[in-house]
Amino acid sequence: MSTHPGVAPDPAFGLLELYDEALPHVYGYLLARCRDATLAEDLTAESFLAAVHAVRKPAAPEPSIPWLIGVARHKLADHWRRVEREQRGLRLLDGEPDGVEDPWDVAVDKIRAHEVLEALGAHHRAALTLRYLDGLPVPEVARHLDRTVHATEALLVRARGAFRRIYQGEEGSR
Amino acid sequence: MTDPFEVLREPVVPVDPDPDFAARLRLRMTQAVFAPPGVTMSEQTISRASEPVEREAPWPPALSPYIVVSDARRALAWYTEVFGARQRGELHVNADGTIGHAEIGIGDGVLMFAETSELYPDVPVSAPDSPTTHSHTLHLQLPDVDAAVALARRRGATVEREPGTEPYGRAAVIVDPFDHRWLLLTPPPRATRLRQGDLARVTMVTPDALRAKDFYEAVLQVPFAPGRVPGAWSAPDVTPPIGMWSPPGEAPQVQPCFRVDDVAAAVARVRAAGGAAEDAERMPYGLLAECTDDQGLRFQLWQPA
């Protein structure tokens, strides 16, 4: 009712203070994973604006760069889930091999690997990025993709298989 | 055997984004941070059927400062970030590219500003020229003087007087980067511009508060947020604020809440006039008395704490 209710310090101010320092980290994280400057900008903006809401929730952590990268990781996973939903209708039943993996002992070339990642479907790209680029354990990957651990393990097997087929196919074509 | 995929590990390497993008996002962040809390909450709770729209700005108050600045675009960004101001209307750009008129709202105040232009040599105004004395001070009320002064300092203001507690609130004096002097004040909790008899709040008693909230949200296009009582809703951004709730067994009704100077004396006047009143209770926002007039209409009386 008072026109001037007592105002507690707003944790979102801390976020504004952190902005200049954190922005290159968040943008750099997203750019290295989606490799598209426009998309990285969109996801960076989404991440920071979501952080304003998140930081005001009860028991929210103190804003920090690692925490903001975590928010960005969620936004990236959300993005790929959206893309996957859009692609699902279009994707051919490509008879993905299930469950069995041959040992693969090659030195993967990092630059080519990124090209291959970009050629993969969103669900495969998301799983491999979170598991290998970010180095998350499988249960964490599962949480971000909103799948069970078992389903995530199976998805990773299929994703690695799809990656190998394109990677080796490229090798053969050279 | 090592996993060949381990080579993909990608530590976070900072990359500076496009400076324009960085500046735009900073502005959006600042707006999000300084938006009224009701707006923030409504973004989480609003039903998808209706989005709050940008409402037409109210007519300015009787007295508004109209100042001259050296760089109106920078001043607009600065006042927006540091004081949580909102732009009112579009910038008026002169033929030579200078800004002929800009207008911002801060709280319920309005500040107008412009740049000088060689197109109008007869208009005898100019931006302050690093004055050692000022002819005037802009007096601005803000919800958090300490945070505003800290941010102003980081954004290049000179702090003339650090925030201190005065009988009239928490006050500080700064000179902004455009050499305008500001007295910043967070008024004490009892401060209000409402006078005795003014409507402070409207409470709607309704069989289904959520349904009522959905209805009025769709009609008025203003944000609603959960109220103090579980199941209650309020629209804090309208004047006066609207609340709605569903106490069991009460018929639908609209209850006005009036500001009074002395609630105990006002309660006595209610009883003397043939109405009924409970004694005032202390609330976080002041003293509140539940009353019924001599024809059965419910209302409240409120005295600021």
Side-chain angles (χ1 to χ4, degrees), chain A residues 83-93:
Chain A
V83 174
E84 194 210 337
R85 274 199 297 275
E86 287 161 13
Q87 287 177 345
R88 197 178 291 151
L90 305 171
R91 206 162 59 226
L92 294 173
L93 290 170

Side-chain angles (χ1 to χ4, degrees), chain A residues 13 16, chain B residues 27 30-31 33-36 67 74-87 104-109 111 113 138-153 155 157-158 172-178 180-185:
Chain A
F13 287 134
L16 271 185
Chain B
L27 187 63
T30 307
Q31 286 165 342
V33 168
F34 283 98
I67 64 176
R74 255 187 73 217
L76 174 64
W78 203 91
Y79 296 141
T80 301
E81 181 187 8
V82 177
F83 296 151
R86 309 166 305 279
Q87 186 174 346
I104 53 174
I106 318 178
D108 57 1
L111 176 70
F113 50 95
L138 299 163
H139 184 286
L140 176 65
Q141 298 183 19
L142 291 170
D144 187 343
V145 157
D146 294 76
V149 168
L151 183 57
R153 177 184 274 123
R155 297 290 175 264
T158 305
V173 177
I174 66 163
V175 178
D176 73 24
F178 316 97
H180 288 284
R181 187 171 186 268
W182 297 80
L183 196 157
L184 306 178
L185 178 72

Side-chain angles (χ1 to χ4, degrees), chain A residues 8-89:
Chain A
D10 185 344
F13 287 134
L15 207 54
L16 271 185
E17 274 179 46
L18 192 61
Y19 175 78
D20 286 331
E21 194 192 338
L23 179 63
H25 290 264
V26 171
Y27 179 73
Y29 167 84
L30 288 165
L31 185 65
R33 278 147 188 82
C34 70
R35 301 174 87 78
D36 173 335
T38 307
L39 178 59
E41 283 185 0
D42 287 350
L43 294 174
T44 300
E46 262 185 55
S47 302
F48 273 99
L49 293 169
V52 174
H53 294 298
V55 82
R56 283 172 167 160
K57 286 184 181 156
E62 189 82 359
S64 67
I65 291 173
W67 177 73
L68 279 166
I69 300 247
V71 175
R73 184 176 288 129
H74 273 292
K75 291 295 163 192
L76 186 62
D78 284 350
H79 163 74
W80 276 325
R81 276 217 299 273
R82 281 196 298 271
V83 174
E84 194 210 337
R85 274 199 297 275
E86 287 161 13
Q87 287 177 345
R88 197 178 291 151

Side-chain angles (χ1 to χ4, degrees), chain A residues 1-3 13 17 19-20 23-25 27-28 33 41 48-49 53 56 104 106 110 113-114 132-133 160, chain B residues 3-5 8-10 13-16 21-22 25-26 28-29 33-34 40 43 154 189 191 285 302:
Chain A
M1 181 115 27
S2 163
T3 49
F13 287 134
E17 274 179 46
Y19 175 78
D20 286 331
L23 179 63
H25 290 264
Y27 179 73
R33 278 147 188 82
E41 283 185 0
F48 273 99
L49 293 169
H53 294 298
R56 283 172 167 160
W104 193 37
V106 294
K110 201 164 167 174
H114 275 291
Y132 294 107
L133 277 72
R160 283 192 295 259
Chain B
D3 187 340
F5 282 94
L8 287 173
R9 188 62 183 274
E10 188 83 35
V13 180
V15 178
D16 283 321
F21 164 73
L25 179 55
R26 162 182 287 290
R28 289 177 68 193
M29 284 279 290
V33 168
F34 283 98
T40 310
E43 283 177 15
R154 286 199 300 280
Y285 44 81
W302 167 61

